[in-house]
Amino acid sequence: MREILTGYWGKYKNSLILTPIFVLLESVVTLALPTLMSNIVDVGVAGGDRAYIIRCGILMTLLALVSLAAGFLSTWHASRASNGFGSNLRVAMFHHIQEFSFGDIDRFSTASLVTRTTSDVRQLQNSVQMMMRTFIQAPFQLIVAVVIVIGYSWKLALIYLIAVPVLFLGVISVMRFVDKLFTIVQQKLDAMNADIQENLIAIRVVKAFVRQRYEREKFKKANDDLTRANLRAVGVIIAMTPMATIILNAVTLCLYWFGGRMVATGEIQSGQLLAVISYLTQIMFSVMMFSMVLMQYTRSRACGKRIAEVLDTVPDIRSKEDAPARTVAHDHGSVVFENVGFRYSKTGTGEEVLRDISFSAAPGETVAIVGGTGSGKSSLVNLIPRFYDVTEGRILVDGVDVRDYRIEDLRAAVGMVLQNNVLFTGTIRENLLWGKEDATDAELEAALRAAQAWELVADRPDGLDTMIHQGGTNVSGGQKQRLCISRAMLKRPAILILDDSTSAVDSDTEARIRESFKRELKDTTVFIIAQRISSVVGADKILVLDDGRIESIGTHDELMRVSPIYRDIYNSQVKEALSNG
């Protein structure tokens, strides 16, 4: 928490320095006003000195204007510094999250990372803004006001010296209890955000299955849980108000009681008693503001811990510090798996997902991977670009262990079309340029034609500048897959991974896409995960996975002879095709 509060001010440090200066100026002026009022009563009114009253009145007006200006400037600089701090912190978190491995993201969850980067940072930012003013103003005004009151009457000052510690003890007691409650609040907020995110992503499925009522009830439960957690925390804080009110009223009553007696005996003047009561308001206001800041700090501390968890997380997948720059040439994308084992250690059960995986793929070869659901197909290809790291054995790309590459060099050599095709909000052109930032329109057209997606552009009035909605919701599943394939082909990678990326494309179109691979990417090592046997028949090498192990390796003809699993898949699909006519 301390490192967070000291490390993210950047160019806003000047406002961080100016804020306390203006706060102190405002406090000094505010503390001077009750004394001037006391003088007006005890000197000007008592002596009938109208000129003195006017002079003091003018001085009080000028001081009030100075206080107003200092208050404005301190608030503005506190706001500037805290917003700058929040901005820098969000940028730091976002940049750090970009370095996370898939395992790190799985551990936190997407919804939690969104909450931590937005809501938690906002809470911390608000606390910083309050603390910049109140942590200086409240103690300063409290101490100086008590000293001034002692100067008027040490007997009346005793009332303050008894009341203030009592109020602070109450605040500290509440803080210790409410800390855990605010942690629960943020966890409930994570859960609610996860429900919202999941619902909006899958809204078409929800409507297709008429599950709106179920989703509403699920959201209501998450929202009610958050509301109850908030009310429990707020309920504890609300208890502060009656406690402070009782103490304030008791102190005021004591001041009037004892102060009135002292005025009657001449021990203190009436104007001085008014000043003491005015300082009472300032002191109790300072204590209350300080208490509220402590409460806000309690909540922000819970948020700060969650933010620190993100910033302190060392990504699972990192480049070695001494890793040299390496470029994998287009025709050098050989891949070798040597006794590879893998388990999802952070988010899974810890059981092995892949065991004893050994095979090789030469540059230009097409390697297909088939197997049942949960056999480890996607896990296997995710190890090549180091989305996850192997737990046993090693993987070589162009003869070098993937862990010895700089991550950006390794992934620059790998093109991927993931199982869940992702398109970003923007034009078709902007989405394709992810593959090659400086690609010309001619290159974009060639990639689209190769992926059989050119008609998607040619048939639209805006062509390459046709807008794609968030997630590609305004294009079909097959069109989305072909656009993603175009993006990967535009990269002209040394290794291309297609994770069930033609499942929404008809067989004829898929065959033309495979032909374009042979023509356009003849030196690229291609890995294909597919459910249809027709997608893998022409592969140079087919891996049959079963429960995380390689059951057989070979061509289609070889596997039809030696692999019962492959034969079963083939025969079941042939029968299905025949039954469908």
Side-chain angles (χ1 to χ4, degrees):
M1 180 71 171
R2 184 180 305 152
E3 290 77 8
I4 292 175
L5 292 177
T6 57
Y8 296 94
W9 297 102
K11 64 180 181 181
Y12 301 98
K13 285 183 179 178
N14 57 341
S15 287
L16 179 65
I17 295 169
L18 289 172
T19 297
I21 294 174
F22 287 117
V23 166
L24 289 174
L25 177 60
E26 179 188 7
S27 299
V28 169
V29 173
T30 302
L31 288 165
L33 293 175
T35 298
L36 288 173
M37 178 58 70
S38 170
N39 292 339
I40 288 175
V41 173
D42 293 336
V43 178
V45 175
D49 190 343
R50 182 177 298 178
Y52 182 83
I53 295 173
I54 293 173
R55 288 197 303 272
C56 286
I58 293 173
L59 181 57
M60 288 183 68
T61 302
L62 292 175
L63 289 177
L65 291 175
V66 171
S67 176
L68 181 65
F72 171 81
L73 290 172
S74 66
T75 302
W76 188 85
H77 280 290
S79 178
R80 181 177 183 272
S82 61
N83 278 279
F85 164 80
S87 174
N88 292 339
L89 185 56
R90 280 191 295 272
V91 168
M93 291 184 69
F94 187 82
H95 286 181
H96 193 60
I97 290 169
Q98 298 306 299
E99 303 300 319
F100 278 8
S101 68
F102 282 15
D104 296 322
I105 294 172
D106 293 342
R107 179 164 67 90
F108 282 103
S109 86
T110 304
S112 180
L113 288 173
V114 170
T115 303
R116 293 170 196 242
T117 311
T118 54
S119 176
D120 286 3
V121 171
R122 186 175 64 252
Q123 288 290 344
L124 192 58
Q125 175 182 311
N126 292 341
S127 295
V128 166
Q129 183 171 350
M130 291 180 66
M131 287 188 292
M132 286 177 67
R133 284 176 49 82
T134 309
F135 266 22
I136 297 169
Q137 186 180 41
F140 179 78
Q141 288 192 179
L142 173 64
I143 295 169
V144 174
V146 170
V147 170
I148 293 174
V149 171
I150 291 174
Y152 285 134
S153 171
W154 65 268
K155 294 179 182 178
L156 294 180
L158 285 176
I159 299 174
Y160 293 110
L161 297 176
I162 294 172
V164 170
V166 171
L167 186 56
F168 268 121
L169 285 174
V171 171
I172 293 171
S173 299
V174 172
M175 278 182 59
R176 294 180 63 183
F177 183 71
V178 84
D179 189 16
K180 295 179 181 178
L181 295 179
F182 279 130
T183 300
I184 294 172
V185 167
Q186 296 306 116
Q187 291 171 349
K188 297 297 183 184
L189 184 60
D190 281 350
M192 188 186 74
N193 284 342
D195 280 348
I196 294 172
Q197 181 186 38
E198 185 177 54
N199 178 270
L200 294 178
I201 290 173
I203 190 66
R204 288 165 177 76
V205 178
V206 172
K207 291 181 178 295
F209 284 87
V210 196
R211 296 286 285 177
Q212 291 95 326
R213 178 181 297 178
Y214 170 79
E215 288 295 313
R216 282 194 291 266
E217 290 175 354
K218 187 170 72 169
F219 175 77
K220 183 178 184 302
K221 181 180 182 303
N223 189 45
D224 288 346
D225 288 345
L226 174 61
T227 302
R228 282 191 292 269
N230 263 316
L231 289 175
R232 281 195 294 270
V234 172
V236 175
I237 294 175
I238 289 174
M240 284 284 301
T241 303
M243 178 179 66
T245 301
I246 291 172
I247 294 174
L248 177 61
N249 289 336
V251 172
T252 304
L253 182 62
C254 289
L255 285 176
Y256 277 117
W257 176 263
F258 293 107
R261 286 171 171 260
M262 293 170 70
V263 169
T265 60
E267 196 172 343
I268 190 174
Q269 294 179 302
S270 57
Q272 292 177 329
L273 177 60
L274 289 176
V276 168
I277 294 172
S278 181
Y279 284 122
L280 162 69
T281 304
Q282 290 188 13
I283 290 171
M284 299 310 290
F285 178 76
S286 297
V287 173
M288 285 301 300
M289 286 302 298
F290 195 73
S291 302
M292 293 307 297
V293 170
L294 288 177
M295 289 297 174
Q296 182 72 16
Y297 172 76
T298 301
R299 180 167 191 177
S300 68
R301 186 171 61 178
C303 296
K305 289 178 181 177
R306 287 159 50 86
I307 292 170
E309 283 180 356
V310 175
L311 294 173
D312 292 344
T313 296
V314 178
D316 285 346
I317 310 297
R318 291 181 295 166
S319 301
K320 289 183 178 179
E321 293 183 3
D322 57 348
R326 289 188 174 95
T327 301
V328 181
H330 180 64
D331 56 350
H332 283 70
S334 64
V335 178
V336 178
F337 278 63
E338 293 183 352
N339 303 313
V340 168
F342 172 67
R343 62 174 61 88
Y344 292 101
S345 57
K346 285 192 174 182
T347 58
T349 61
E351 297 180 0
E352 283 190 308
V353 177
L354 297 171
R355 297 181 295 279
D356 302 323
I357 303 295
S358 296
F359 70 92
S360 63
E365 278 193 337
T366 296
V367 178
I369 306 170
V370 299
T373 301
S375 59
K377 302 185 296 295
S378 295
S379 298
L380 187 150
V381 295
N382 281 333
L383 297 176
I384 298 173
R386 287 192 74 195
F387 291 150
Y388 298 94
D389 261 344
V390 300
T391 49
E392 294 177 11
R394 63 177 184 162
I395 300 172
L396 306 177
V397 169
D398 196 16
V400 179
D401 192 316
V402 293
R403 290 167 292 193
D404 292 331
Y405 282 95
R406 296 191 310 176
I407 290 177
E408 57 268 29
D409 292 339
L410 175 64
R411 292 177 183 170
V414 180
M416 290 203 71
V417 184
L418 298 171
Q419 192 170 15
N420 296 322
N421 297 284
V422 176
L423 293 174
F424 297 89
T425 303
T427 63
I428 291 176
R429 182 196 309 276
E430 289 168 343
N431 272 277
L432 294 181
L433 291 178
W434 279 61
K436 184 182 179 184
E437 292 183 9
D438 58 350
T440 64
D441 285 1
E443 290 175 309
L444 297 179
E445 180 179 345
L448 287 165
R449 289 188 182 278
Q452 307 302 307
W454 175 244
E455 78 282 355
L456 180 60
V457 172
D459 294 343
R460 304 201 178 202
D462 293 330
L464 288 168
D465 294 317
T466 299
M467 285 297 299
I468 297 294
H469 296 168
Q470 186 178 25
T473 55
N474 61 328
V475 293
S476 69
Q479 290 171 333
K480 188 189 298 185
Q481 287 185 336
R482 283 177 282 162
L483 286 173
C484 290
I485 292 171
S486 300
R487 182 171 62 193
M489 291 185 69
L490 193 64
K491 190 176 182 180
R492 298 194 66 79
I495 301 166
L496 177 63
I497 298 172
L498 305 170
D499 188 353
D500 200 18
S501 56
T502 56
S503 57
V505 175
D506 63 81
S507 298
D508 289 341
T509 301
E510 183 185 14
R512 290 195 294 272
I513 293 173
R514 288 200 304 272
E515 285 299 318
S516 71
F517 288 161
K518 294 178 182 178
R519 183 177 63 254
E520 304 292 336
L521 303 175
K522 61 182 179 180
D523 295 321
T524 295
T525 308
V526 180
F527 288 84
I528 299 175
I529 296 176
Q531 302 298 327
R532 293 192 297 229
I533 291 295
S534 61
S535 302
V536 304
V537 167
D540 300 299
K541 191 175 295 178
I542 303 172
L543 276 62
V544 181
L545 291 186
D546 181 37
D547 193 26
R549 294 179 181 272
I550 295 180
E551 186 261 351
S552 299
I553 300 179
T555 63
H556 169 73
D557 293 335
E558 291 170 345
L559 292 177
M560 287 297 291
R561 291 194 302 271
V562 302
S563 173
I565 294 177
Y566 188 81
R567 281 198 305 270
D568 287 345
I569 296 173
Y570 177 81
N571 292 331
S572 65
Q573 291 187 14
V574 169
K575 289 179 181 178
E576 182 180 355
L578 291 173
S579 64
N580 291 333

